[in-house]
Structures are given as structure tokens and as C-alpha cells.
């Protein structure tokens, strides 16, 4: 075995591989024995394509060239298509219109052309196929983010009439679901300044055959206090959902007006509603509930008997989600997305009666020997106020080892959100680092989901403090174990994770370098309007109400303390990011330049909040590797372009 400096190990996992062999998978659906799902393809400019398949046929594209089945409702999108008897209804990214695509036919728009100002998402189709009911988001009512209007609308599926508003008055809506008898509509609603995981309300309302909706009745939930997730109608007409009123998102149902708990547990059967259209609940023909839930840093796929409360985990080789949950059930067939530390995200077809499992699609194949894979260790480590969680990946390369007696550099990864969670599902983007000799710790700092409401609320009022503290504590834990070199700590993250990077390099001297992907440098513009409606009051919970907490906003903004930054920083940003606009990157870059701090800035034309185009994914990863190599003083293996660094 060859001995080489950590970071300089040759690896078969290249930046090109990250973009060329991987696709995003999600939004699984079942329709008359056929599975449908979405694929995000970096090699097609990040285009979203509806695909269909089953165990007996190869996957087939449904969305034709020239269309992009993606919605920008809430800017994060989700819920971009729905299938009904072979007809696909989808939102088209270029013009934001809703389209109908009959089997074998070209898509036809069924909503007016509004120059992209009306967006559609999270729709359901009535049993008779006449109406699409879902979310419309309007951007033509005024210049302010607060002028954006979200509502539920009914749309004739033949395009014969203008969309008709069926529910309005709340700031946000999601999850419209029609009862089996067609007579009741259930939906979620919430209002600023709260996010849906802070608390939302579940309503039911009478629904007529002409998609007329009567007066809604509050069924469960409370804005800001109790969060409801994924309401679904059982075959018998019970309304099943997850509520966190116990401190954990647990499954409940409403039967004959009575609210019942189905399986109390310290486990999360619900998830933060960042994207629309996600589902973690479905029903077998006999009424048993198929569900996904998180416990013990793992995602479980299980069947729950709602009459006895017995929960049976399925014996499957999957224990994680790459993005949100996607469960679809029809008869005895279950289709879902899941993965594991050695399996990338997959579209899985499970015939519950036959006990057969088929993989319809993989997010990425692994075109290298499995001996290069670093399997994460779930760690729990001490931090102020208790313990926190993370996944630790050791440097792994079958052909190379590091110098004897030397601990490796450690990349501390901070996930976005911040109300989100790390995933243990195989991601070759993480293996890109570990196969080169870096340790990686992916931190579920206080505020992350998957550990109950109290853990989630650790971040309330403490954003930029608790998350940073926990990331440093994770590094300290690994340094003390001898798994990391305290002089070669790196920190990287995107969005809220990018904000943590900037905080780490501003308010501590623990790191040797950091890479911020579309990170926040100044919190004040977010409090005063420089973001989108969905998150425009997120800081009310994470920091405090504006302007009463103005001093705290300024104290937590790295840009106000830029003179403290003495650590090299790489800043990567998209020009079309409407969540964290380029101005956030530019103010910190100007400060780095003014103070002579080594840094590099990469601005990617046409990219939004998250890079989707293959050429930019490749360039960003190579730039990051080159940046770390120059700062830590090693020569990266392979053909890695040298990133120009401004050094003042």
C-alpha cells in the first residue's frame, strides 16, 4: 500500500463523475399498476423529467424534450406533477403553466399564459378526472414579497375555464387531498411568521362534483404550536396524518369526528415540509398503513396496523432518505425512494403480497470498486445543553494510506435549512472527499429534524450559535478520539450551511479554510425583505421578531465583523438565486478583498439555489478541492485545474 499525504490520494471518483453518473430521484406515484417518478438530470441543464416504468419494462421518459416538469412555488418547488388514469398533469418550468399530457400525446397547456407570474404545484385530481385542485402562487399583485398570494384553486382538466379559487386567506396552503367518496377536501394551511414545522392547521371542507368547496372546519393542528404532516384518506374514509403534539411527529387518525393516536413512539413519522408533494404514508388494500419514519439516526419503512397499533418494519436493505420521503401504494404494491450507506437513492418497487423487490431506477451507479466506499458511523457527542448527532466518514482508499502517526484533515459539513437533516444514503459527492484522504463529519446540529420537536426547537432564537457550537463540538469529539487533525479543520455548507461557514470563519479561529455555497452573510436584508415569501419571516423564530431584535440580527451577521476574518474562504454563488441572492455573496467577498484575506469567488450564470448544471457541478467541486489543496499545502491527484486565489 502506498503512503501519501492526506488529501493527495488518487481516486477513481472524479468531479465529472458527480455530474455525469447521478440523477435526482423523487415524487414517486402509482397509477394503474405503473410507477411514475421525477428525474433531475444535470447533463440536461438540470431539467426535470417525468419517467414511468414497472418491473417488467425499462423506464421510459414521459416528459418530451423542450419541457421541464418543475415548479418554483415556495422557490423550492415540489409537487410538480400528478398522474390520473395515464394522463399526466405537470407544471412546466419555462412558462410556469400547468399542462395536460394524455398518454401518447403532446402536452397541452390548461392554464392561462401569465408570463410566468402564476405558478402551480401540489395538485390532486378528482376521481372523475374533471378537476385538478392544488396550490397557485401569484407574483403579479405587487413588488413586495408580501404581495405574493398563495391559494388553492380548482382547474378544469380540459382547460375549458379559468382557475377558480377554492381556499384563500392564509399565507400558505399545501397537501390537498380528496376523500374516497369525493365529498370532502382536506388540506393544510399556515401563516407567517411561522414555518409549517413550527405549526400548521389541517382543515376539511365539503366538496361538490363541480369542485365547489364549502366552509372549512379545523380538524387538527395549531399555527405556531402543533405541526401536521401529510394528511391522507384511508380506504375507509378515515383521515390519517402525523402530528407532533406529543413532541414527536406520530401517526393519528380522525374517525367519525374522534381524533385517535395510532402508535405513540419517540420516532418521527413526519418531515419538514421544504418541498411540496412529499408523502410518507400510503394504504394497502386492507387498510394497513405503509409509512416511513426516522428513529435512531435511521429511516425505516414499515407497515402499521391502525386497529392494533402494531408496527412491523420491513426487512429491506434501506435505512435512509437522500431528500424527502416519497411513498406510493396501490393494492399490494408499494413504490418508494430510499437508499443506504452502500446504496444510492433508488426507486424501489415492493409487491407486499409476493414479497418481491425490484429496483426501477438508481440515482447513481458506482463505477468503481466498493472498497473505496466509506461507510458512515452514527455518532452522538457531548455539546452544551446535552448531546448532538452526526455521521462520521473515515478516509477510505484501498490503495493508499496516510503518513504513520498523523491524523487526517476533517471536513465539517453543515446541512442547509437549517431545519433539515443529514443523510447516510450513499452520496458519491461525500466519497469524493473520503477517497482522497479527508475525514468528513456531517452534523445534525440542534435544530435538525429526526430527533423530536424539542431537539428541533434548540435553534429557536439561537441560529448562528447552537449550530456553530455543535459543529465545533463534533470536530472536538473526533479530534479527542484521534480521528482528525485539529490544525486541518475545514468547514463547508450551502444556504443555511453556508451561513454557518461564514459564522465559523468570523466568530471562531478553529478552521483552516471554508467553502460557502450560496451562504448568508447579512441577516438584516432577510428581515427587511430581500428573500422570498416562504422564508421571509423564518428568522422570527430562529433569531427573534424584527425590529425588536435588530441588535441580535446585526450581532449574528458575519458581514458586520468581517475584520475578524483571518481564514481563507471560497464563495460560490448562482446568479439566479432568489432565496439567497448574489448580493449576499458580494458583500462578504468585498470585505475579504478589502482585508487581504485569501479567497476565491465563483459566480455561476443561470444557477439558482443549488447547482443543477453538470458543467457547474464539476467546476465547483474541482475549485473546492484546489482551494483546500493550496491552503493546506498538498498537491491533489488527477487533472484538477488550479483555482486562482486572491491573496491581497
Amino acid at each position: 500500500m502506498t503512503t501519501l499525504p492526506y488529501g493527495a490520494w488518487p481516486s477513481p471518483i472524479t468531479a465529472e463523475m458527480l455530474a455525469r453518473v447521478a440523477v435526482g430521484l423523487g415524487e414517486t406515484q402509482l397509477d394503474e399498476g405503473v410507477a411514475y417518478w421525477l428525474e433531475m438530470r444535470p447533463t440536461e441543464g438540470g431539467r426535470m423529467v417525468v419517467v414511468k416504468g414497472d418491473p417488467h419494462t425499462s423506464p421510459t421518459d414521459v416528459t418530451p424534450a423542450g419541457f421541464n416538469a418543475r415548479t418554483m412555488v415556495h422557490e423550492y418547488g415540489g409537487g410538480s406533477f400528478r398522474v390520473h388514469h395515464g394522463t399526466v398533469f405537470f407544471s412546466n418550468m419555462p412558462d410556469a403553466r400547468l399542462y395536460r399530457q394524455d398518454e401518447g400525446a403532446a402536452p397541452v397547456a390548461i392554464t392561462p399564459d401569465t408570463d410566468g407570474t402564476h405558478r402551480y404545484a401540489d395538485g390532486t385530481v378528482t376521481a372523475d378526472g374533471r378537476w385538478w385542485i392544488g396550490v397557485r402562487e401569484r407574483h403579479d399583485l405587487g413588488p413586495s414579497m408580501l404581495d405574493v398570494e398563495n391559494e388553492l384553486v380548482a382547474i378544469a382538466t380540459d382547460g375549458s375555464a379559468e382557475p377558480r379559487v377554492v381556499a384563500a386567506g392564509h399565507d400558505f396552503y399545501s397537501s390537498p387531498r380528496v376523500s374516497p367518496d369525493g365529498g370532502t377536501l382536506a388540506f393544510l394551511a399556515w401563516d407567517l411568521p411561522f414555518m409549517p414545522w413550527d405549526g400548521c392547521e389541517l382543515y376539511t371542507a365539503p366538496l361538490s362534483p363541480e369542485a365547489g368547496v364549502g366552509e372549512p372546519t379545523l380538524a387538527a393542528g395549531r399555527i405556531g404550536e402543533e405541526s401536521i404532516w401529510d394528511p391522507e384518506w384511508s380506504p375507509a374514509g378515515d383521515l390519517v396524518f402525523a402530528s407532533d403534539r406529543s413532541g414527536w411527529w406520530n401517526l393519528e387518525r380522525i374517525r367519525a369526528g374522534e381524533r385517535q393516536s395510532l402508535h405513540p413512539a419517540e420516532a418521527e413519522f413526519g418531515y419538514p415540509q421544504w418541498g411540496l408533494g412529499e408523502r410518507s404514508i400510503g394504504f394497502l388494500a386492507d387498510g394497513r398503513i405503509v409509512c416511513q419514519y426516522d428513529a435512531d439516526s435511521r429511516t425505516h419503512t414499515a407497515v402499521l396496523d391502525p386497529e392494533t397499533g402494531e408496527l412491523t418494519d420491513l426487512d429491506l436493505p434501506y435505512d435512509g432518505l437522500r431528500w424527502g420521503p416519497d411513498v406510493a401504494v396501490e393494492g399490494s404494491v408499494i413504490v418508494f425512494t430510499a437508499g443506504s450507506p452502500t446504496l444510492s437513492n433508488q426507486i424501489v418497487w415492493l409487491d407486499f403480497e409476493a414479497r418481491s423487490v425490484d429496483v426501477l431506477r438508481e440515482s447513481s451507479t458506482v463505477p468503481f470498486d466498493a472498497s473505496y466506499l466509506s461507510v458512515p458511523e452514527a455518532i452522538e457527542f457531548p455539546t452544551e445543553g446535552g448531546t448532538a448527532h452526526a455521521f462520521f466518514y473515515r478516509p477510505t482508499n484501498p490503495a493508499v494510506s496516510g503518513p504513520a502517526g498523523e491524523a487526517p484533515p476533517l471536513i465539517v459539513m453543515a446541512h442547509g435549512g437549517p431545519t433539515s437533516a443529514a443523510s447516510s444514503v450513499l452520496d458519491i459527492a461525500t466519497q469524493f472527499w473520503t477517497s482522497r484522504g479527508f475525514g468528513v463529519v456531517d452534523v445534525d446540529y440542534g435544530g435538525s429534524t429526526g430527533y423530536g420537536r424539542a431537539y428541533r426547537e434548540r435553534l429557536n432564537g439561537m441560529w448562528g450559535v447552537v449550530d456553530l457550537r455543535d459543529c465545533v463540538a463534533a470536530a472536538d469529539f473526533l479530534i479527542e478520539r484521534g480521528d482528525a487533525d485539529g490544525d486541518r479543520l475545514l468547514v463547508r455548507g450551502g444556504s443555511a450551511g453556508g451561513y454557518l461557514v461564514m459564522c465559523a470563519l468570523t466568530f471562531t479561529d478553529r478552521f483552516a479554510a471554508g467553502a460557502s455555497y450560496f451562504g448568508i452573510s447579512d441577516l438584516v436584508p432577510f428581515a427587511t425583505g430581500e428573500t422570498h415569501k416562504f422564508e421571509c419571516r423564518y428568522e422570527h423564530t430562529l433569531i427573534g421578531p424584527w425590529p425588536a431584535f435588530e441588535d441580535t440580527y446585526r450581532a449574528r451577521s458575519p458581514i458586520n465583523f468581517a475584520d475578524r476574518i483571518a481564514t481563507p474562504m471560497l464563495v460560490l454563488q448562482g446568479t439566479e438565486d432568489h432565496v439567497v441572492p448574489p448580493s449576499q455573496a458580494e458583500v462578504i467577498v468585498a470585505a475579504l478583498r478589502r482585508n487581504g484575506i485569501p479567497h476565491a469567488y465563483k459566480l455561476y450564470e443561470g444557477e439558482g439555489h443549488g447547482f443543477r448544471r453538470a458543467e457547474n457541478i464539476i467546476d465547483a467541486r474541482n475549485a473546492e478541492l484546489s482551494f483546500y489543496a493550496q491552503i493546506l499545502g498538498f498537491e491533489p491527484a488527477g487533472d484538477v485545474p488550479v483555482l486562482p486565489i486572491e491573496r491581497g
Side-chain angles (χ1 to χ4, degrees):
M1 180 176 285
T2 304
T3 299
L4 288 172
Y6 287 111
W9 298 359
S11 169
I13 308 171
T14 64
E16 289 76 9
M17 189 180 294
L18 306 188
R20 305 296 183 193
V21 305
V23 297
L25 300 175
E27 296 197 31
T28 56
Q29 296 177 36
L30 272 167
D31 180 72
E32 299 179 329
V34 178
Y36 292 77
W37 63 90
L38 269 184
E39 296 189 4
M40 190 282 287
R41 298 175 176 173
T43 56
E44 297 181 27
R47 187 170 79 101
M48 305 289 281
V49 178
V50 177
V51 181
K52 69 178 182 179
D54 60 46
H56 312 294
T57 60
S58 298
T60 304
D61 286 3
V62 176
T63 308
F67 290 88
N68 185 352
R70 182 185 175 199
T71 178
M72 294 301 291
V73 171
H74 296 177
E75 298 300 331
Y76 293 105
S80 61
F81 83 103
R82 179 59 45 188
V83 187
H84 181 77
H85 295 326
T87 296
V88 177
F89 300 89
F90 70 94
S91 295
N92 183 43
M93 175 73 171
D95 59 10
R97 299 172 76 181
L98 188 67
Y99 281 75
R100 173 185 180 132
Q101 185 180 0
D102 292 316
E103 199 163 3
V108 176
I110 59 173
T111 57
D113 186 355
T114 63
D115 291 326
T117 61
H118 292 191
R119 306 172 179 178
Y120 302 91
D122 204 12
T124 190
V125 179
T126 56
D128 60 10
R130 295 176 58 204
W131 303 97
W132 180 97
I133 301 174
V135 177
R136 179 175 69 179
E137 184 175 86
R138 295 187 61 181
H139 290 255
D140 58 350
L141 301 174
S144 167
M145 61 185 173
L146 295 178
D147 294 321
V148 174
E149 187 171 282
N150 296 71
E151 55 207 357
L152 289 181
V153 297
I155 297 171
T157 56
D158 61 3
S160 60
E162 293 277 326
R164 184 176 76 249
V165 176
V166 297
H170 287 284
D171 288 323
F172 300 99
Y173 292 87
S174 76
S175 311
R177 309 283 194 261
V178 178
S179 62
D181 64 5
T184 307
L185 177 70
F187 59 88
L188 297 178
W190 66 96
D191 293 315
L192 297 170
F194 298 106
M195 304 298 283
W197 48 85
D198 295 321
C200 56
E201 294 177 337
L202 171 61
Y203 289 92
T204 59
L207 179 66
S208 76
E210 298 303 316
V213 175
E215 186 67 25
T217 299
L218 179 64
R222 187 175 179 85
I223 293 172
E225 295 184 16
E226 179 191 357
S227 177
I228 305 296
W229 161 264
D230 189 17
E232 301 287 350
W233 294 99
S234 77
D238 300 330
L239 188 55
V240 177
F241 52 90
S243 163
D244 72 351
R245 63 175 175 166
S246 69
W248 298 81
W249 269 310
N250 281 182
L251 292 181
E252 302 188 18
R253 73 178 173 194
I254 297 175
R255 168 178 283 183
E258 180 185 355
R259 188 171 173 182
Q260 305 168 347
S261 176
L262 297 180
H263 183 80
E266 290 190 355
E268 298 278 54
F269 291 79
Y271 297 83
Q273 196 177 171
W274 283 105
L276 295 169
E278 295 176 343
R279 285 173 156 90
S280 63
I281 303 168
F283 298 91
L284 295 167
D286 62 8
R288 282 181 294 173
I289 302 168
V290 178
C291 54
Q292 288 183 318
Y293 71 94
D294 284 356
D296 304 320
S297 298
R298 297 177 62 242
T299 299
H300 306 251
T301 303
V303 172
L304 173 67
D305 186 330
E307 306 309 323
T308 66
E310 182 181 0
L311 183 72
T312 304
D313 277 11
L314 302 182
D315 184 18
L316 297 168
Y318 306 104
D319 59 8
L321 303 175
R322 171 50 55 195
W323 292 285
D326 291 295
V327 173
V329 187
E330 189 178 78
S332 66
V333 173
I334 306 166
V335 175
F336 59 95
T337 58
S340 78
T342 57
L343 297 172
S344 65
N345 222 35
Q346 298 181 343
I347 304 292
V348 182
W349 175 293
L350 167 63
D351 189 317
F352 193 70
E353 282 187 0
R355 295 296 196 269
S356 62
V357 178
D358 293 275
V359 175
L360 304 185
R361 188 76 159 96
E362 292 181 88
S363 176
S364 63
T365 56
V366 180
F368 51 85
D369 193 275
S371 59
Y372 283 92
L373 293 182
S374 178
V375 176
E377 172 194 359
I379 61 172
E380 187 172 353
F381 54 90
T383 187
E384 186 178 332
T387 60
H389 305 268
F391 293 109
F392 172 55
Y393 299 78
R394 298 177 183 277
T396 303
N397 188 310
V400 189
S401 64
E406 184 178 306
L410 178 71
I411 298 175
V412 178
M413 289 176 55
H415 63 68
T419 311
S420 185
S423 171
S424 63
V425 173
L426 172 61
D427 183 2
I428 60 174
T430 300
Q431 307 296 326
F432 175 89
W433 299 114
T434 56
S435 62
R436 283 172 167 73
F438 295 89
V440 174
V441 61
D442 200 355
V443 185
D444 268 342
Y445 46 78
S448 302
T449 47
Y451 307 94
R453 185 173 182 116
Y455 193 85
R456 207 162 71 234
E457 291 181 339
R458 285 189 189 182
L459 206 59
N460 289 359
M462 298 296 287
W463 190 28
V465 177
V466 165
D467 45 345
L468 175 57
R469 179 195 69 197
D470 289 356
C471 283
V472 171
D476 286 342
F477 176 78
L478 294 170
I479 292 167
E480 187 174 345
R481 282 199 339 186
D483 291 320
D485 182 350
D487 293 326
R488 292 186 290 176
L489 297 181
L490 306 165
V491 59
R492 71 186 304 271
S495 190
Y499 168 62
L500 187 143
V501 170
M502 294 191 184
C503 287
L505 303 192
T506 303
F507 302 121
T508 82
D509 59 0
R510 297 298 309 279
F511 296 92
S516 169
Y517 285 71
F518 33 88
I520 302 163
S521 61
D522 189 355
L523 296 173
V524 172
F526 283 83
T528 58
E530 193 183 296
T531 189
H532 59 130
K533 180 185 175 185
F534 180 61
E535 291 183 273
C536 72
R537 293 291 180 267
Y538 195 11
E539 291 83 1
H540 174 98
T541 301
L542 296 175
I543 302 292
W546 176 271
F549 282 71
E550 180 176 353
D551 289 347
T552 306
Y553 280 78
R554 297 190 184 282
R556 303 267 182 86
S557 296
I559 191 59
N560 296 324
F561 304 91
D563 289 343
R564 295 185 183 181
I565 302 176
T567 304
M569 186 186 303
L570 172 63
V571 180
L572 304 108
Q573 177 71 43
T575 62
E576 303 304 313
D577 193 335
H578 300 294
V579 178
V580 180
S583 57
Q584 287 283 316
E586 289 157 4
V587 291
I588 200 72
V589 169
L592 294 168
R593 182 176 294 120
R594 184 173 62 250
N595 295 329
I597 304 303
H599 70 280
Y601 178 40
K602 302 281 289 186
L603 183 64
Y604 294 102
E605 190 68 34
E607 290 286 12
H609 199 64
F611 301 160
R612 306 171 68 88
R613 299 179 181 179
E615 63 273 20
N616 296 334
I617 294 170
I618 294 167
D619 185 79
R621 189 52 55 98
N622 277 331
E624 190 177 353
L625 176 57
S626 177
F627 188 75
Y628 295 156
Q630 292 179 65
I631 298 304
L632 296 184
F634 65 84
E635 186 69 29
D639 186 16
V640 180
V642 176
L643 174 71
I645 296 178
E646 292 189 43
R647 298 183 180 271

